[in-house]
Amino acid sequence: MAERGTLRGYQFDKVEKFQIGIGRAAAVVKPPGANPIVLLNPRIAAASDEMDERFEGCLSFFDVRAPVPRPLRITAETMTPDGSTATTVYERGEARLIAHEIDHLGGLLLLNRMRPGVTPIPVEEYRKTAEATSRAWSYE
């Protein structure tokens, strides 16, 4: 079953390979004010050592938020519609979003990426934190 939604201003559609039983995966992400990013059989080819931990939400766990460490820069390889490979570097918020979606396509959830001993918090508690801004991720 395909999933469609909007998360913190980012629109996405995705079909996970384990959902359809074939070795294919696809996601389309639409960052605010930018063209859609199409991910066909994506993989993270490289990731920066520099990490950042921010709260993430997920439609798989709609009522909680969790702090997740992610690299600030990733290089993703995806297949193009003509079958060739495209390589793109994503930074900061886009890197976090793309890594999150690639995790999903591989069957991982944000809970798999949290540091040991860290637990998700209810969205109501998250909204009370200083980081809760109701805006898309900002690294300025």
Side-chain angles (χ1 to χ4, degrees):
M1 163 183 270
E3 184 176 349
R4 169 170 274 182
T6 301
L7 184 61
R8 297 197 70 152
Y10 289 84
Q11 296 175 344
F12 64 89
D13 291 297
K14 66 183 173 192
V15 177
E16 298 170 3
K17 59 187 170 189
F18 60 88
Q19 291 176 317
I20 57 177
I22 61 173
R24 305 281 188 272
V28 179
V29 178
K30 173 81 173 74
N35 291 326
I37 299 169
V38 178
L39 303 169
L40 302 174
N41 294 332
R43 73 178 193 90
I44 296 176
S48 67
D49 290 334
E50 188 178 9
M51 303 286 283
D52 180 41
E53 186 171 84
R54 299 272 178 139
F55 277 92
E56 289 186 13
C58 182
L59 294 178
S60 297
F61 305 99
F62 191 73
D63 57 349
V64 299
R65 299 294 181 263
V68 178
R70 299 250 186 220
L72 284 173
R73 181 184 179 117
I74 63 168
T75 301
E77 289 182 355
T78 61
M79 183 180 291
T80 64
D82 68 8
S84 61
T85 300
T87 302
T88 307
V89 175
Y90 298 100
E91 295 184 350
R92 301 176 182 245
E94 283 189 349
R96 176 172 293 278
L97 178 69
I98 298 299
H100 179 108
E101 291 305 324
I102 290 175
D103 277 355
H104 272 300
L105 294 174
L108 295 175
L109 300 172
L110 63 86
L111 300 178
N112 301 110
R113 296 291 184 193
M114 293 170 37
R115 289 180 293 110
V118 173
T119 57
I121 61 172
V123 73
E124 296 82 20
E125 183 179 334
Y126 167 75
R127 287 183 178 139
K128 295 176 187 175
T129 67
E131 186 175 345
T133 62
S134 298
R135 296 184 320 233
W137 294 289
S138 176
Y139 286 88
E140 307 329 303

